Amino acid sequence: MRNFLMAFLAFLPVSLMAQGWQLVGFGGVANYQGDLQDRRFTTQQAQIALGMGIQYDINKYFSVRGMANYGRISADDRFNKDAGLRNRNLNFKSQILEGSIQAIFRFMDLETKKWSPYLVAGVGVFGFDPYTHDTLGNKFYLQPLGTEGQGLAAYPEREFYKRVQLVIPFGGGVMLRVNDRITLGYEVGLRKTFTDYLDDVSTTYADPDQLLAARGPLAVELAYRGDELKNGSANPNYPTGSVRGGPEFKDWYYFQGITVNFRLGSGGRSGYNGKSMGRQLDCPRNIY
């Protein structure tokens, strides 16, 4: 992930000297869907998301862009409609750092139209690291604790999940040409991941005695937190081996918000073939 961002930043000054490029800015919210929040799309518990990138128009309808996005996701069992899951009382937060290359298809030509819907899809990598706080406000990262028995001899199939993984971004939106250099847009971008551990919850409850011996009392306390509730119990309502999460469904995260594209280069805009179009043809081309 770090190498990707370094390459991206090293390429940026070179790209700015070329005509036909745009700077892209993004601001909005991030959210997730997983074992602590099962709705596919919601703004409940949404957090901030920001991004920046560069884009190049291949022709009037297709563009490519490179983006670096930052977002925060979180969820808490106390908002769950299922009483049993509320009694589980788990919660998490995580930062998301993402780098991607995306292709954009516009349905209309922004040389002649003021606005256009569009689709976007690509490939990237992202980093995440779920954490929580105890009742005293102390912060603990969850992956090293192996709360579901990762790394224990009793669960040889459960390995520690990787915190940098592949992601497939896709989505769409609407863009509006403001003037010769600026294009605004509203975009919703879903992220298909290949992990069920954005929230550190996936499979079944590990044996608390084995977890205690291998990982210590903190791992046991954060695997099931019903005792933190009023009249709650430290003994899970679910026996060892019962369902804690749903591994058959991978977690998702998504961004939505406003994009701003600023066209670079001096003088009038260059055409899609790289030649000057002249002031009489100087219609904004989009995008993002």
Side-chain angles (χ1 to χ4, degrees):
M1 185 67 174
R2 181 177 301 174
N3 291 338
F4 178 91
L5 293 177
M6 290 178 64
F8 177 84
L9 294 175
F11 176 70
L12 185 58
V14 177
S15 70
L16 298 186
M17 295 187 293
Q19 294 231 5
W21 294 83
Q22 301 97 50
L23 286 177
V24 184
F26 169 78
V29 297
N31 214 330
Y32 113 111
Q33 186 227 359
D35 293 296
L36 272 69
Q37 181 165 261
D38 59 3
R39 280 177 286 185
R40 173 68 72 182
F41 192 82
T42 178
T43 57
Q44 187 184 57
Q45 305 182 72
Q47 303 287 329
I48 189 172
L50 301 169
M52 63 175 295
I54 54 175
Q55 177 180 300
Y56 183 74
D57 293 334
I58 298 173
N59 56 41
K60 296 179 180 180
Y61 300 100
F62 288 94
S63 300
V64 292
R65 71 181 179 191
M67 292 293 296
N69 290 318
Y70 167 83
R72 298 175 183 170
I73 57 174
S74 67
D76 195 313
D77 273 340
R78 62 178 172 157
F79 297 112
N80 205 300
K81 294 181 179 179
D82 187 313
L85 296 181
R86 289 198 303 272
N87 291 337
R88 182 179 62 178
N89 195 37
L90 298 179
N91 66 79
F92 87 101
K93 296 179 181 178
S94 180
Q95 299 184 77
I96 298 287
L97 186 59
E98 173 196 276
S100 66
I101 300 295
Q102 303 171 10
I104 300 168
F105 172 72
R106 293 177 295 281
F107 288 89
M108 292 187 282
D109 176 11
L110 286 181
E111 292 285 348
T112 58
K113 303 294 184 180
K114 188 72 174 178
W115 67 280
S116 175
Y118 69 96
L119 298 175
V120 58
V123 64
V125 293
F126 79 105
F128 69 105
D129 200 0
Y131 64 90
T132 189
H133 294 87
D134 65 13
T135 54
L136 299 177
N138 299 307
K139 180 178 179 180
F140 297 101
Y141 285 95
L142 294 166
Q143 190 259 14
L145 296 175
T147 54
E148 293 187 349
Q150 294 95 331
L152 300 188
Y155 306 97
E157 75 286 358
R158 299 186 188 181
E159 300 179 351
F160 284 99
Y161 52 89
K162 294 179 174 60
R163 289 171 288 184
V164 177
Q165 300 206 20
L166 181 71
V167 67
I168 305 298
F170 66 95
V174 177
M175 57 186 65
L176 172 68
R177 173 169 51 85
V178 177
N179 57 37
D180 190 57
R181 289 189 179 273
I182 298 175
T183 302
L184 297 179
Y186 180 80
E187 180 173 314
V188 176
L190 304 178
R191 267 47 178 183
K192 163 63 178 174
T193 78
F194 300 89
T195 180
D196 192 38
Y197 280 108
L198 290 184
D199 47 23
D200 193 63
V201 177
S202 179
T203 56
T204 60
Y205 286 95
D207 185 310
D209 293 330
Q210 296 189 31
L211 195 59
L212 176 64
R215 301 280 182 255
L218 182 63
V220 177
E221 292 170 10
L222 298 183
Y224 182 86
R225 305 181 66 173
D227 60 318
E228 297 176 9
L229 298 173
K230 184 178 180 180
N231 300 322
S233 171
N235 297 315
N237 295 327
Y238 314 101
T240 297
S242 64
V243 173
R244 186 172 187 256
E248 67 275 19
F249 301 109
K250 304 304 182 185
D251 294 340
W252 292 67
Y253 69 94
Y254 43 90
F255 298 132
Q256 63 173 316
I258 303 298
T259 62
V260 180
N261 277 52
F262 181 80
R263 188 172 301 281
L264 301 169
S266 59
R269 292 187 304 103
S270 59
Y272 290 105
N273 61 5
K275 299 178 181 179
S276 176
M277 299 178 66
R279 295 302 300 173
Q280 71 277 16
L281 297 179
D282 194 24
C283 305
R285 310 177 301 202
N286 145 236
I287 93 267
Y288 85 85

